[in-house]
Amino acid sequence: MKQSNNTNRAFCWLMALVLAMLPTMAQGNRQLITTLDGKQNCLTSRRPNIKLEQKGSYWVQKLNTKAQQKTEATEETVTVTYEWDFGESEDIEPEYFFSLNQEARPRPGQTQVLKHGVYDLIACARQIVFDSDNNVTPIYYFVLKEEISINQDTTIVFNLNEATQQIQIHDHHPNGELFTKGNYGTGMSASGLCRKNDGAILDLVSVVFDRNQPLAYINPVSDRFSYYQGSCYISNDWEPNPEAYATFYVNDDLSQPLESNAEDYHLITEHFIPSKVSQNEAEAKGFGGDLFIMNGDETIIGFGLDSWTQESECDVKLYVNLQNQSSDFNGLYALVRQSMIDYLEVVDYFPWGMPMYDSRYIYTPRLTINQDEVIYLNLGANQAQYGTQYDDYFLNDGNKVSYPYARGPHPFFYSQAQKLQDFGSGVPIFVYLNFRGYGTGGSMIGRYGEYRQVDDGQTSLCLKKNGEQVWQGGIKDYGQYDIYEQEPLGIIEGIFTNDNVIVDDLQGLNLTTIHYDEQLENDIPPMLTMLWFKDTEGNATDHFSNGADGLLEFSAGDFIPNVNLETYNMWYTCQAMNNVEVCYSPYQQDDWNELAVEEVPENFCSPGYGYFYRGSLADVTGEALKGWFDLKVKLTDAAGNWQEQVVSPAFRIDNLAYSSVANIGDGNAHEVARYSIDGKRVDANHRGVTIVKMSDGTAKKVIQ
């Protein structure tokens, strides 16, 4: 077994809705199945508008005019009716009919008006059976008719007796046992056919189950098609360490069982560090995310990963097993993002008394998993721009750029073995976004690409125009408030403060200041898009024995927003900056010294990242509490707009640590400095919110 160390779901007061979604042959047009409790279970296809009538032992699918496909009046067309013949079988109901022409354009069933041509046709029926314990097991029957020439009005009959080939799935737990009820909580599966000559995907069926995999039968299929099957098993809720298991098979031969081997699993173990607000207030933790099976840029299937635990900190394990026996799936890999509900807040109650929650997450960066390796993709500003809702992270002039792009030319990706720290363990950067007239905002992106959504509710903003404060509060409440081009035009300054991080028992802080002139043609401040530390061997870490072992790397640029008013795609073009300044200071001492960095032109990468910079920590001097140092990065563009970020603490150098930290936390700490919410040093008479720094490295907010 390959190993390394390394939820959007409400509590389940409602029964989960077990879905058997009807498929469609589609290369897009997909939607997420969601149960009544909000659990995202399986990515499948949109259900066609179907109406069925029984005629003796036959079922006929009738046309619903709203769902009828339009045809050009100049095209020669015919009418096709689909029917099932179930023979003597009982308790079987038709599910769907589909046709696929050589243009790889799926057409949902019903009576159809088709152009003359050659089609592959598929029908599905379902039977429900009960065992001795009254447990339900669905049985699905598929009949595929290949290369049927249609040039006149006709009726196509699908015979149940043709579905003679059982699709056998033998999913093994990593311990070698077959998955059965008792060694998992919830199961999900999705299956389909892929036509080899054009890659057209036919989703057969997607189901959620809590006992046994559904049974499936199909007629013998030619070598024009490959069969795929994906399954996901989630551990029971409230286990100390949540686990999920995903298997995926591609095979050209269904005469043999599709079988996973325990030794072929990749194990990905994540340990999330809770934020400060979570450590103080959270009573339970939810873990989840999603897993997509990809072939190149094509999404085949996807699953939601959800579980709950009462442990404040725990390991979250994901096992992934990919079995590819088809030469037509050369680009097969899993795309994964895991998450932790870091904070739950009751915001209201339903009329029947159930609470409504505001859930706040920490999301990992995307991982790609193939049969050989696991790679973390640090998405930088793309993660901030699109959050967690999209897969089209990489946009260039409004068009998607494929995921392999995420591995270069920038170096912000790392292997499983190179990940030496837990997500949530460092102070994030603030990726500030501004689309003219479309709102202003941003996201806290953690040290190694994690998206800290939980910080949205814990970050404050002080906004000034021409030196006058025009707004102050939490950015969660700020919403889409946008002062862009409100008369009179002037100088805008925003100070974002996030102290929702504890690092090595020290108070963490990100203090970001933006400054721009609305009266200029370029009135967008530069953007810091990614920042991390590595050791000289390429491992992702901010802890070093001595400065010579450490490297700072970050990307930034003067990003100009663009909008396509026809498609409403938004993207950035990147311009060079006028000046880049980097300084360091012993933790919370405000004793700033220059840290030399240089641009690495060959690592320029846009969209999403911008210009790439690197600097060594070899020349860092001074003594710091526990060896921790703060970092300041100031970016200035050619127009004079600027952004400054203070990350405190940022990195640790052990041989520069105080010789003794015995007095930390002993209650004898004294005040060393006070700062206003906009980062300016003030005295004890300052009114409003003040950040007080103590001699033991801690900080606290004071309101007076």
Side-chain angles (χ1 to χ4, degrees), residues 130-197:
F130 298 85
D131 62 19
S132 58
D133 296 325
N134 212 33
N135 297 317
V136 174
T137 298
I139 304 177
Y140 291 91
Y141 301 93
F142 307 103
V143 174
L144 175 67
K145 293 183 178 291
E146 301 186 48
E147 298 182 301
I148 303 300
S149 179
I150 296 178
N151 51 31
Q152 63 182 1
D153 293 351
T154 186
T155 297
I156 305 293
V157 178
F158 296 86
N159 195 307
L160 184 72
N161 293 331
E162 296 179 22
T164 58
Q165 175 68 63
Q166 182 179 0
I167 302 171
Q168 302 180 68
I169 307 297
H170 293 172
D171 279 340
H172 287 89
H173 189 281
N175 64 14
E177 300 176 355
L178 286 173
F179 279 103
T180 59
K181 181 59 181 177
N183 59 13
Y184 69 91
T186 301
M188 298 162 273
S189 70
S191 61
L193 295 170
C194 177
R195 194 165 64 186
K196 295 180 180 180
N197 68 322

Side-chain angles (χ1 to χ4, degrees), residues 201-213:
I201 296 296
L202 169 57
D203 299 321
L204 292 179
V205 67
S206 301
V207 297
V208 181
F209 53 91
D210 63 357
R211 290 189 178 274
N212 300 315
Q213 277 265 22

Side-chain angles (χ1 to χ4, degrees), residues 32-85:
L32 202 62
I33 290 181
T34 305
T35 58
L36 284 176
D37 65 353
K39 179 176 181 179
Q40 297 176 343
N41 284 315
C42 182
L43 191 74
T44 180
S45 307
R46 187 167 298 162
R47 182 176 185 142
N49 200 348
I50 292 175
K51 186 176 182 180
L52 298 159
E53 294 182 4
Q54 190 168 13
K55 186 191 297 182
S57 64
Y58 286 39
W59 281 82
V60 182
Q61 194 166 30
K62 293 295 186 181
L63 175 66
N64 182 318
T65 55
K66 291 184 179 180
Q68 182 176 2
Q69 299 287 334
K70 294 182 179 180
T71 58
E72 297 292 337
T74 56
E75 295 285 351
E76 195 169 5
T77 61
V78 296
T79 300
V80 180
T81 301
Y82 303 112
E83 298 180 353
W84 262 113
D85 183 359

Side-chain angles (χ1 to χ4, degrees), residues 153 318 327 425 463 478 641:
D153 293 351
L318 172 64
S327 59
S425 62
L463 194 62
Y478 180 69
N641 306 310

